[in-house]
Amino acid sequence: QVQLVESGGGSVQAGGSLNLSCAASTYTLCMGWFRQAPGKGREGVAAINLNGLTTYADSVKGRFTISKDTYKVLSLHLTSLQPEDTAMYYCAAHFGEQCGLELYQYDSWGEGTQVTVSS
């Protein structure tokens, strides 16, 4: 498994922006961001494969941008944040070829970073 450490969460007002980062202990074929709001299940937000191909959840398209600075550093730029974006955000990774937003595909997880958006 890969060790993943997230950073960059915080509290912002609606309409604000945040940048999340995730440092991996080694390279992987697929990395993604997931989130879990209080009382809800964990859901996929965005993913990126080794070739830079990205996938986004419909709820964040046009507002969030996933990128990789290197094979080991993953970022998520969050803009136009809304209260419904409030959640714990998790970085995840795996070595499989399919790079989507399904939880079962991922076998390495970070501990999460909190994002809170106030109205």
Side-chain angles (χ1 to χ4, degrees):
Q1 287 190 345
V2 181
Q3 292 183 332
L4 303 167
V5 179
E6 303 98 334
S7 61
S11 297
V12 297
Q13 291 188 329
S17 300
L18 281 173
N19 288 302
L20 307 183
S21 294
C22 173
S25 58
T26 187
Y27 86 97
T28 61
L29 295 183
C30 175
M31 296 186 76
W33 288 99
F34 292 76
R35 66 184 181 185
Q36 187 165 14
K40 295 187 177 181
R42 193 169 298 189
E43 63 176 0
V45 174
I48 186 167
N49 71 2
L50 195 63
N51 295 321
L53 183 65
T54 58
T55 301
Y56 293 94
D58 288 343
S59 60
V60 306
K61 281 181 181 177
R63 299 190 300 123
F64 292 6
T65 303
I66 190 171
S67 63
K68 289 188 304 181
D69 293 334
T70 68
Y71 289 128
K72 298 182 181 180
V73 179
L74 181 72
S75 299
L76 186 68
H77 183 48
L78 300 78
T79 65
S80 301
L81 284 163
Q82 299 301 315
E84 52 265 36
D85 294 316
T86 295
M88 184 71 78
Y89 283 71
Y90 298 90
C91 176
H94 69 82
F95 290 97
E97 293 183 358
Q98 297 298 319
C99 193
L101 300 179
E102 299 293 336
L103 273 72
Y104 72 86
Q105 295 175 331
Y106 295 82
D107 54 14
S108 296
W109 293 85
E111 294 187 353
T113 185
Q114 179 68 38
V115 172
T116 302
V117 186
S118 58
S119 57

